[in-house]
Amino acid sequence: RPVACLLCGERRITPLNTFVLNGKRFHTVRCLPDGLMWLDPQPTPEFYHQLYAEHYHRAGQDDPLLEQATLDVHTDETRLRETAILRLNEIEEFASPGRFLEVGFGSGYTLIEAKSRGWDVLGLEIAQSCVDDMRARGIAAACSSLTDYAGPRETFDVVAMYSVIEHVHDPTVYLRQAHELLKPNGLLVLRLPDTPDEGPPASLIAHLYHFNQSTISELLRRNHFEVLKFGSFSVWKPKRYPGELPNMNVISRKA
């Protein structure tokens, strides 16, 4: 389905690049008025729900869509631990241990690190295998998307979504839900690609939206968050596809 811009609601777009997957042609487009970029047309929500619930976290090296639409999140444990430490160090620049919710936790190393530092943690993930792994380690986890989570409002000090917001059809709904779950002055932490103006250097069917510092700041502002810091810049280089993806962490506060 073709979609309109999240920020202006219009469809005044210019194409940036094109790729073909399973014989279907997809484009990255940019909104002319405000610069937001996205995948167009977009596959259905049902396609992505099946992808993330059944395949994304269990992909192996023989998966033809490894890196393009699936990812083995359980490899390279040393790097995953180091990343989790970096994430908690950034969060604790602005908050002391309290209640911590991670959405789409994957391998769960950030939850494990947070709990080891005294945070009261909960993870949400739509892949049951990931939920089972966390529960086996004594980590509270639920098989649910953020939009289906029915917990009490204003109970979390931090909501973290690492590599989530660019994967969903309506990022605004996720930001509003996070806002409702956070206590006053609570932190929302995002990890997402920092996309250059010419479009993503690596185009993935898993990424529905392509933000940069300007467009994610504007979307956060419209949903009552104040950006505190852009940090933890890194680069992901797929092995099977050309290009690379620069990534950033965005720490914001509930206004």
Side-chain angles (χ1 to χ4, degrees):
R1 58 179 188 177
V3 297
C5 178
L6 282 176
L7 296 178
C8 69
E10 298 185 17
R11 195 170 159 79
R12 294 166 53 196
I13 58 176
T14 184
L16 299 176
N17 55 40
T18 300
F19 67 98
V20 177
L21 188 65
N22 287 355
K24 298 182 183 297
R25 188 173 298 273
F26 297 91
H27 311 279
T28 301
V29 300
R30 182 174 63 221
C31 179
L32 292 172
D34 54 49
L36 184 67
M37 293 170 274
W38 64 89
L39 178 71
D40 194 270
Q42 293 182 352
T44 65
E46 291 76 16
F47 166 80
Y48 287 105
H49 186 274
Q50 181 178 4
L51 181 74
Y52 298 129
E54 300 179 18
H55 305 291
Y56 190 80
H57 299 297
R58 290 186 166 185
Q61 293 300 316
D62 59 343
D63 191 320
L65 289 181
L66 183 66
E67 298 182 314
Q68 172 57 240
T70 60
L71 191 67
D72 181 359
V73 299
H74 302 285
T75 58
D76 198 351
E77 293 188 6
T78 298
R79 185 176 179 183
L80 290 169
R81 290 191 184 98
E82 291 172 350
T83 299
I85 291 169
L86 181 62
R87 290 173 176 176
L88 267 296
N89 287 346
E90 281 191 336
I91 289 170
E92 290 179 352
E93 292 178 25
F94 301 96
S96 300
R99 294 207 69 202
F100 181 97
L101 173 67
E102 184 178 5
V103 179
F105 58 80
S107 57
Y109 283 88
T110 303
L111 289 173
I112 295 168
E113 178 65 21
K115 185 175 181 180
S116 74
R117 298 186 183 205
W119 290 83
D120 178 11
V121 303
L122 172 65
L124 301 181
E125 175 62 70
I126 65 172
Q128 186 66 53
S129 60
C130 294
V131 173
D132 293 342
D133 287 344
M134 284 299 96
R135 289 175 175 173
R137 293 173 178 252
I139 303 289
C143 191
S144 172
S145 67
L146 179 62
T147 53
D148 291 333
Y149 176 67
R153 309 295 91 175
E154 295 194 344
T155 54
F156 292 99
D157 298 280
V158 174
V159 173
M161 292 188 276
Y162 297 104
S163 301
V164 171
I165 204 74
E166 69 273 24
H167 291 252
V168 300
H169 279 87
D170 196 344
T172 298
V173 172
Y174 274 65
L175 296 184
R176 289 173 180 169
Q177 179 77 346
H179 192 277
E180 291 184 3
L181 292 173
L182 282 166
K183 297 177 182 177
N185 297 315
L187 297 182
L188 172 65
V189 186
L190 306 175
R191 177 192 185 263
L192 66 164
D194 184 12
T195 308
D197 289 341
E198 61 269 22
S203 294
L204 308 179
I205 196 68
H207 289 180
L208 290 167
Y209 286 93
H210 307 287
F211 297 98
N212 53 33
Q213 292 186 41
S214 175
T215 53
I216 193 61
S217 294
E218 178 61 17
L219 190 64
L220 286 166
R221 185 192 67 80
R222 294 187 184 197
N223 288 279
H224 312 294
F225 288 98
E226 173 194 6
V227 174
L228 302 177
K229 178 181 178 179
F230 289 97
S232 293
F233 288 87
S234 61
V235 176
W236 177 68
K237 294 184 178 181
K239 297 177 181 178
R240 299 190 181 192
Y241 300 93
E244 60 187 25
L245 288 178
N247 291 286
M248 59 181 170
N249 280 8
V250 186
I251 299 179
S252 60
R253 189 185 304 279
K254 178 177 177 177

